[in-house]
Short mmCIF file of all heavy atoms in Angstrom, two decimals:
data_model
loop_
_atom_site.label_atom_id
_atom_site.label_comp_id
_atom_site.label_asym_id
_atom_site.label_seq_id
_atom_site.Cartn_x
_atom_site.Cartn_y
_atom_site.Cartn_z
N VAL A 18 53.34 81.29 -40.32
CA VAL A 18 53.67 82.69 -40.64
C VAL A 18 52.38 83.50 -40.74
O VAL A 18 52.29 84.63 -40.24
CB VAL A 18 54.48 82.77 -41.95
CG1 VAL A 18 54.71 84.23 -42.34
CG2 VAL A 18 55.81 82.04 -41.82
N ILE A 19 51.37 82.93 -41.38
CA ILE A 19 50.09 83.62 -41.52
C ILE A 19 49.46 83.90 -40.15
O ILE A 19 48.92 85.00 -39.90
CB ILE A 19 49.11 82.80 -42.39
CG1 ILE A 19 49.64 82.67 -43.82
CG2 ILE A 19 47.71 83.41 -42.38
CD1 ILE A 19 49.61 83.95 -44.61
N THR A 20 49.54 82.94 -39.24
CA THR A 20 48.93 83.11 -37.91
C THR A 20 49.85 83.85 -36.95
O THR A 20 49.53 84.01 -35.77
CB THR A 20 48.57 81.73 -37.33
OG1 THR A 20 49.75 80.90 -37.28
CG2 THR A 20 47.51 81.04 -38.16
N LYS A 21 50.99 84.29 -37.46
CA LYS A 21 51.96 85.10 -36.71
C LYS A 21 52.55 84.37 -35.51
O LYS A 21 52.98 84.97 -34.53
CB LYS A 21 51.34 86.44 -36.28
CG LYS A 21 50.84 87.28 -37.45
CD LYS A 21 50.38 88.67 -37.05
CE LYS A 21 49.87 89.45 -38.25
NZ LYS A 21 49.45 90.82 -37.92
N GLU A 22 52.62 83.03 -35.65
CA GLU A 22 53.34 82.25 -34.64
C GLU A 22 54.85 82.34 -34.89
O GLU A 22 55.64 82.28 -33.95
CB GLU A 22 52.89 80.78 -34.68
CG GLU A 22 51.42 80.56 -34.34
CD GLU A 22 51.01 79.13 -34.58
OE1 GLU A 22 51.58 78.23 -33.92
OE2 GLU A 22 50.12 78.90 -35.43
N ILE A 23 55.24 82.42 -36.17
CA ILE A 23 56.64 82.59 -36.52
C ILE A 23 56.74 83.71 -37.54
O ILE A 23 55.72 84.14 -38.13
CB ILE A 23 57.27 81.29 -37.07
CG1 ILE A 23 56.58 80.87 -38.38
CG2 ILE A 23 57.21 80.17 -36.03
CD1 ILE A 23 57.24 79.68 -39.05
N ALA A 24 57.95 84.18 -37.77
CA ALA A 24 58.18 85.30 -38.69
C ALA A 24 58.61 84.78 -40.07
O ALA A 24 59.22 83.72 -40.19
CB ALA A 24 59.25 86.22 -38.13
N PRO A 25 58.30 85.53 -41.12
CA PRO A 25 58.83 85.19 -42.45
C PRO A 25 60.32 85.51 -42.52
O PRO A 25 60.89 86.13 -41.60
CB PRO A 25 58.03 86.08 -43.39
CG PRO A 25 57.65 87.26 -42.57
CD PRO A 25 57.47 86.74 -41.16
N ASP A 26 60.95 85.09 -43.60
CA ASP A 26 62.38 85.38 -43.80
C ASP A 26 62.60 86.79 -44.31
O ASP A 26 63.59 87.44 -43.98
CB ASP A 26 62.98 84.39 -44.79
CG ASP A 26 62.85 82.95 -44.33
OD1 ASP A 26 63.14 82.69 -43.14
OD2 ASP A 26 62.43 82.10 -45.14
N LEU A 27 61.67 87.26 -45.15
CA LEU A 27 61.83 88.56 -45.82
C LEU A 27 60.47 89.23 -45.92
O LEU A 27 59.47 88.60 -46.24
CB LEU A 27 62.41 88.34 -47.23
CG LEU A 27 62.47 89.54 -48.18
CD1 LEU A 27 63.37 90.64 -47.64
CD2 LEU A 27 62.95 89.10 -49.57
N VAL A 28 60.46 90.53 -45.62
CA VAL A 28 59.25 91.33 -45.78
C VAL A 28 59.58 92.54 -46.64
O VAL A 28 60.50 93.30 -46.32
CB VAL A 28 58.67 91.79 -44.43
CG1 VAL A 28 57.38 92.58 -44.65
CG2 VAL A 28 58.42 90.60 -43.51
N LEU A 29 58.84 92.70 -47.73
CA LEU A 29 58.97 93.89 -48.58
C LEU A 29 57.84 94.83 -48.20
O LEU A 29 56.66 94.53 -48.45
CB LEU A 29 58.89 93.50 -50.05
CG LEU A 29 59.89 92.43 -50.53
CD1 LEU A 29 59.63 92.05 -51.99
CD2 LEU A 29 61.32 92.90 -50.33
N THR A 30 58.16 95.93 -47.56
CA THR A 30 57.13 96.84 -47.08
C THR A 30 56.89 97.97 -48.08
O THR A 30 57.77 98.32 -48.87
CB THR A 30 57.53 97.44 -45.72
OG1 THR A 30 58.73 98.21 -45.88
CG2 THR A 30 57.76 96.35 -44.69
N ASN A 31 55.67 98.54 -48.01
CA ASN A 31 55.28 99.65 -48.89
C ASN A 31 55.54 99.32 -50.36
O ASN A 31 56.00 100.17 -51.13
CB ASN A 31 56.01 100.94 -48.50
CG ASN A 31 55.69 101.35 -47.08
OD1 ASN A 31 54.52 101.42 -46.69
ND2 ASN A 31 56.72 101.60 -46.27
N ALA A 32 55.27 98.07 -50.70
CA ALA A 32 55.50 97.63 -52.08
C ALA A 32 54.36 98.10 -52.98
O ALA A 32 53.19 97.81 -52.70
CB ALA A 32 55.63 96.12 -52.12
N TYR A 33 54.69 98.80 -54.03
CA TYR A 33 53.73 99.20 -55.05
C TYR A 33 53.82 98.15 -56.15
O TYR A 33 54.71 98.18 -56.99
CB TYR A 33 54.08 100.59 -55.57
CG TYR A 33 53.04 101.22 -56.46
CD1 TYR A 33 51.75 101.50 -55.98
CD2 TYR A 33 53.34 101.58 -57.77
CE1 TYR A 33 50.80 102.10 -56.80
CE2 TYR A 33 52.39 102.18 -58.59
CZ TYR A 33 51.12 102.43 -58.10
OH TYR A 33 50.17 103.03 -58.90
N TYR A 34 52.92 97.16 -56.11
CA TYR A 34 53.10 95.98 -56.93
C TYR A 34 51.96 95.78 -57.91
O TYR A 34 50.82 96.19 -57.67
CB TYR A 34 53.29 94.73 -56.06
CG TYR A 34 52.11 94.32 -55.21
CD1 TYR A 34 51.23 93.33 -55.63
CD2 TYR A 34 51.88 94.90 -53.96
CE1 TYR A 34 50.16 92.93 -54.85
CE2 TYR A 34 50.81 94.51 -53.16
CZ TYR A 34 49.95 93.53 -53.62
OH TYR A 34 48.88 93.14 -52.83
N LEU A 35 52.28 95.14 -59.01
CA LEU A 35 51.31 94.88 -60.07
C LEU A 35 50.55 93.60 -59.74
O LEU A 35 51.15 92.53 -59.64
CB LEU A 35 52.03 94.74 -61.41
CG LEU A 35 51.17 94.36 -62.63
CD1 LEU A 35 50.05 95.37 -62.83
CD2 LEU A 35 52.04 94.25 -63.88
N HIS A 36 49.25 93.73 -59.58
CA HIS A 36 48.41 92.56 -59.36
C HIS A 36 47.87 92.09 -60.71
O HIS A 36 47.07 92.79 -61.34
CB HIS A 36 47.26 92.86 -58.39
CG HIS A 36 46.66 91.62 -57.80
ND1 HIS A 36 45.90 90.75 -58.53
CD2 HIS A 36 46.73 91.10 -56.54
CE1 HIS A 36 45.50 89.74 -57.77
NE2 HIS A 36 46.00 89.93 -56.55
N SER A 37 48.30 90.92 -61.12
CA SER A 37 48.02 90.46 -62.49
C SER A 37 46.56 90.19 -62.75
O SER A 37 46.09 90.34 -63.89
CB SER A 37 48.84 89.19 -62.77
OG SER A 37 50.20 89.39 -62.51
N ILE A 38 45.83 89.77 -61.74
CA ILE A 38 44.42 89.42 -61.94
C ILE A 38 43.55 90.67 -62.05
O ILE A 38 42.71 90.79 -62.95
CB ILE A 38 43.93 88.48 -60.82
CG1 ILE A 38 44.71 87.16 -60.90
CG2 ILE A 38 42.43 88.24 -60.93
CD1 ILE A 38 44.50 86.24 -59.73
N PHE A 39 43.78 91.63 -61.18
CA PHE A 39 43.03 92.89 -61.24
C PHE A 39 43.56 93.83 -62.33
O PHE A 39 42.89 94.79 -62.70
CB PHE A 39 43.09 93.61 -59.89
CG PHE A 39 42.26 92.97 -58.81
CD1 PHE A 39 42.86 92.19 -57.83
CD2 PHE A 39 40.89 93.14 -58.78
CE1 PHE A 39 42.10 91.60 -56.84
CE2 PHE A 39 40.11 92.56 -57.79
CZ PHE A 39 40.72 91.78 -56.81
N LYS A 40 44.80 93.55 -62.82
CA LYS A 40 45.48 94.43 -63.77
C LYS A 40 45.55 95.85 -63.21
O LYS A 40 45.27 96.83 -63.89
CB LYS A 40 44.81 94.40 -65.14
CG LYS A 40 44.94 93.07 -65.87
CD LYS A 40 44.36 93.10 -67.28
CE LYS A 40 45.18 93.96 -68.21
NZ LYS A 40 44.73 93.86 -69.60
N LYS A 41 45.92 95.92 -61.92
CA LYS A 41 46.02 97.20 -61.23
C LYS A 41 47.26 97.20 -60.35
O LYS A 41 47.78 96.15 -59.95
CB LYS A 41 44.78 97.43 -60.35
CG LYS A 41 43.49 97.69 -61.11
CD LYS A 41 42.28 97.65 -60.20
CE LYS A 41 42.37 98.64 -59.06
NZ LYS A 41 41.14 98.64 -58.23
N TRP A 42 47.71 98.41 -60.02
CA TRP A 42 48.78 98.57 -59.05
C TRP A 42 48.19 98.65 -57.65
O TRP A 42 47.20 99.33 -57.44
CB TRP A 42 49.60 99.83 -59.36
CG TRP A 42 50.30 99.74 -60.67
CD1 TRP A 42 49.88 100.23 -61.87
CD2 TRP A 42 51.56 99.09 -60.91
NE1 TRP A 42 50.79 99.93 -62.85
CE2 TRP A 42 51.84 99.23 -62.30
CE3 TRP A 42 52.48 98.41 -60.10
CZ2 TRP A 42 53.00 98.71 -62.88
CZ3 TRP A 42 53.63 97.89 -60.69
CH2 TRP A 42 53.87 98.05 -62.05
N MET A 43 48.80 97.94 -56.74
CA MET A 43 48.34 97.92 -55.35
C MET A 43 49.52 98.22 -54.43
O MET A 43 50.68 97.96 -54.78
CB MET A 43 47.75 96.56 -55.00
CG MET A 43 46.49 96.21 -55.79
SD MET A 43 45.75 94.67 -55.21
CE MET A 43 44.22 94.67 -56.16
N THR A 44 49.23 98.75 -53.26
CA THR A 44 50.27 99.01 -52.26
C THR A 44 50.05 98.08 -51.08
O THR A 44 48.92 97.95 -50.58
CB THR A 44 50.22 100.47 -51.78
OG1 THR A 44 50.40 101.34 -52.91
CG2 THR A 44 51.33 100.73 -50.77
N GLY A 45 51.11 97.42 -50.67
CA GLY A 45 50.99 96.50 -49.55
C GLY A 45 52.34 95.96 -49.13
O GLY A 45 53.40 96.49 -49.51
N ASN A 46 52.31 94.90 -48.34
CA ASN A 46 53.51 94.27 -47.82
C ASN A 46 53.55 92.82 -48.29
O ASN A 46 52.55 92.11 -48.26
CB ASN A 46 53.52 94.31 -46.29
CG ASN A 46 53.32 95.73 -45.77
OD1 ASN A 46 54.07 96.64 -46.12
ND2 ASN A 46 52.28 95.94 -44.96
N ILE A 47 54.71 92.39 -48.73
CA ILE A 47 54.87 91.05 -49.29
C ILE A 47 55.72 90.23 -48.32
O ILE A 47 56.86 90.60 -48.03
CB ILE A 47 55.53 91.11 -50.68
CG1 ILE A 47 54.69 91.97 -51.63
CG2 ILE A 47 55.70 89.70 -51.25
CD1 ILE A 47 55.37 92.30 -52.95
N TRP A 48 55.15 89.12 -47.82
CA TRP A 48 55.84 88.26 -46.87
C TRP A 48 56.40 87.05 -47.62
O TRP A 48 55.67 86.38 -48.36
CB TRP A 48 54.92 87.76 -45.77
CG TRP A 48 54.04 88.76 -45.09
CD1 TRP A 48 53.98 90.10 -45.27
CD2 TRP A 48 53.06 88.44 -44.10
NE1 TRP A 48 53.03 90.67 -44.45
CE2 TRP A 48 52.44 89.67 -43.72
CE3 TRP A 48 52.64 87.25 -43.49
CZ2 TRP A 48 51.44 89.73 -42.75
CZ3 TRP A 48 51.64 87.31 -42.54
CH2 TRP A 48 51.04 88.54 -42.17
N ILE A 49 57.65 86.74 -47.38
CA ILE A 49 58.29 85.62 -48.07
C ILE A 49 58.89 84.66 -47.05
O ILE A 49 59.65 85.08 -46.16
CB ILE A 49 59.38 86.13 -49.04
CG1 ILE A 49 58.74 86.98 -50.15
CG2 ILE A 49 60.16 84.97 -49.64
CD1 ILE A 49 59.73 87.73 -51.01
N LYS A 50 58.55 83.40 -47.20
CA LYS A 50 59.14 82.34 -46.38
C LYS A 50 59.83 81.35 -47.31
O LYS A 50 59.19 80.76 -48.20
CB LYS A 50 58.04 81.62 -45.58
CG LYS A 50 58.49 80.37 -44.81
CD LYS A 50 59.45 80.72 -43.68
CE LYS A 50 59.75 79.45 -42.86
NZ LYS A 50 60.82 79.70 -41.87
N ASP A 51 61.11 81.19 -47.14
CA ASP A 51 61.91 80.34 -48.04
C ASP A 51 61.70 80.80 -49.48
O ASP A 51 62.01 81.93 -49.80
CB ASP A 51 61.57 78.86 -47.84
CG ASP A 51 61.93 78.38 -46.43
OD1 ASP A 51 62.97 78.83 -45.91
OD2 ASP A 51 61.16 77.58 -45.86
N ASP A 52 61.13 79.95 -50.34
CA ASP A 52 61.01 80.31 -51.76
C ASP A 52 59.61 80.74 -52.15
O ASP A 52 59.31 80.87 -53.33
CB ASP A 52 61.43 79.11 -52.63
CG ASP A 52 60.59 77.86 -52.39
OD1 ASP A 52 59.74 77.88 -51.48
OD2 ASP A 52 60.81 76.86 -53.10
N ARG A 53 58.74 81.01 -51.14
CA ARG A 53 57.31 81.19 -51.43
C ARG A 53 56.75 82.49 -50.84
O ARG A 53 57.14 82.89 -49.74
CB ARG A 53 56.54 80.00 -50.87
CG ARG A 53 55.15 79.79 -51.45
CD ARG A 53 54.52 78.53 -50.88
NE ARG A 53 53.34 78.13 -51.63
CZ ARG A 53 52.50 77.17 -51.28
NH1 ARG A 53 52.73 76.47 -50.17
NH2 ARG A 53 51.45 76.86 -52.02
N ILE A 54 55.87 83.13 -51.60
CA ILE A 54 55.10 84.24 -51.05
C ILE A 54 54.00 83.65 -50.17
O ILE A 54 53.18 82.85 -50.64
CB ILE A 54 54.46 85.09 -52.18
CG1 ILE A 54 55.53 85.71 -53.08
CG2 ILE A 54 53.56 86.18 -51.59
CD1 ILE A 54 54.96 86.39 -54.31
N VAL A 55 53.99 83.99 -48.90
CA VAL A 55 52.94 83.48 -48.03
C VAL A 55 51.81 84.50 -47.84
O VAL A 55 50.72 84.13 -47.38
CB VAL A 55 53.50 83.03 -46.65
CG1 VAL A 55 54.46 81.87 -46.83
CG2 VAL A 55 54.16 84.18 -45.93
N TYR A 56 52.08 85.75 -48.21
CA TYR A 56 51.03 86.77 -48.06
C TYR A 56 51.45 88.01 -48.84
O TYR A 56 52.64 88.36 -48.89
CB TYR A 56 50.83 87.12 -46.58
CG TYR A 56 49.86 88.25 -46.33
CD1 TYR A 56 48.50 88.00 -46.19
CD2 TYR A 56 50.30 89.57 -46.21
CE1 TYR A 56 47.60 89.05 -45.95
CE2 TYR A 56 49.41 90.62 -45.98
CZ TYR A 56 48.06 90.34 -45.85
OH TYR A 56 47.17 91.36 -45.62
N ALA A 57 50.47 88.67 -49.45
CA ALA A 57 50.68 90.00 -50.04
C ALA A 57 49.41 90.80 -49.79
O ALA A 57 48.33 90.43 -50.24
CB ALA A 57 50.97 89.89 -51.53
N GLY A 58 49.53 91.86 -49.01
CA GLY A 58 48.37 92.66 -48.66
C GLY A 58 48.74 93.75 -47.66
O GLY A 58 49.91 94.13 -47.54
N LYS A 59 47.74 94.26 -46.93
CA LYS A 59 47.95 95.40 -46.05
C LYS A 59 48.60 95.03 -44.71
O LYS A 59 49.20 95.88 -44.05
CB LYS A 59 46.61 96.08 -45.77
CG LYS A 59 45.92 96.64 -47.02
CD LYS A 59 46.72 97.76 -47.65
CE LYS A 59 45.98 98.39 -48.82
NZ LYS A 59 46.78 99.46 -49.48
N GLU A 60 48.46 93.77 -44.29
CA GLU A 60 48.92 93.38 -42.95
C GLU A 60 50.44 93.31 -42.88
O GLU A 60 51.14 93.13 -43.89
CB GLU A 60 48.34 92.01 -42.58
CG GLU A 60 46.84 91.99 -42.38
CD GLU A 60 46.43 92.71 -41.13
OE1 GLU A 60 47.14 92.59 -40.11
OE2 GLU A 60 45.39 93.41 -41.16
N MET A 61 50.95 93.43 -41.63
CA MET A 61 52.36 93.18 -41.35
C MET A 61 52.46 91.88 -40.54
O MET A 61 51.60 91.57 -39.73
CB MET A 61 52.96 94.32 -40.55
CG MET A 61 53.39 95.51 -41.41
SD MET A 61 54.79 95.13 -42.51
CE MET A 61 56.15 95.02 -41.32
N PRO A 62 53.55 91.10 -40.75
CA PRO A 62 53.69 89.84 -40.04
C PRO A 62 54.38 90.03 -38.69
O PRO A 62 54.76 91.15 -38.32
CB PRO A 62 54.59 89.04 -40.97
CG PRO A 62 55.51 90.09 -41.54
CD PRO A 62 54.65 91.33 -41.70
N LYS A 63 54.55 88.93 -38.01
CA LYS A 63 55.42 88.94 -36.84
C LYS A 63 56.85 89.21 -37.31
O LYS A 63 57.29 88.69 -38.33
CB LYS A 63 55.35 87.59 -36.13
CG LYS A 63 56.24 87.49 -34.90
CD LYS A 63 56.10 86.11 -34.24
CE LYS A 63 56.99 86.05 -32.99
NZ LYS A 63 56.86 84.74 -32.30
N ILE A 64 57.55 90.03 -36.59
CA ILE A 64 58.92 90.38 -36.93
C ILE A 64 59.86 89.85 -35.86
O ILE A 64 59.64 90.07 -34.67
CB ILE A 64 59.10 91.91 -37.09
CG1 ILE A 64 58.16 92.44 -38.20
CG2 ILE A 64 60.54 92.25 -37.41
CD1 ILE A 64 58.43 91.91 -39.58
N GLU A 65 60.92 89.18 -36.27
CA GLU A 65 61.96 88.70 -35.36
C GLU A 65 63.29 89.27 -35.80
O GLU A 65 63.42 89.81 -36.91
CB GLU A 65 61.99 87.17 -35.36
CG GLU A 65 60.73 86.53 -34.77
CD GLU A 65 60.76 85.01 -34.82
OE1 GLU A 65 61.66 84.46 -35.50
OE2 GLU A 65 59.89 84.37 -34.20
#
């Protein structure tokens, strides 16, 4: 999914999310495969 060979199951776009380590709000896209977040950041994944 990270290398964009396959697509995630769910993508949350334009997510204004709380980053616990920075203790700040960030805007990005959250990629989910099965039960796991595989990426949260500015990039978009492959879409199927």
Side-chain angles (χ1 to χ4, degrees):
V18 175
I19 295 290
T20 57
K21 301 187 181 182
E22 297 172 62
I23 63 174
D26 301 314
L27 171 62
V28 182
L29 305 176
T30 63
N31 300 310
Y33 190 62
Y34 65 97
L35 176 57
H36 198 289
S37 306
I38 296 170
F39 288 102
K40 292 184 69 173
K41 290 170 58 177
W42 296 96
M43 296 185 173
T44 302
N46 306 304
I47 302 170
W48 312 357
I49 296 170
K50 173 67 174 172
D51 297 323
D52 59 355
R53 199 176 193 188
I54 298 172
V55 296
Y56 175 88
K59 298 296 185 182
E60 293 289 322
M61 278 293 288
K63 179 179 181 179
I64 301 296
E65 293 179 348

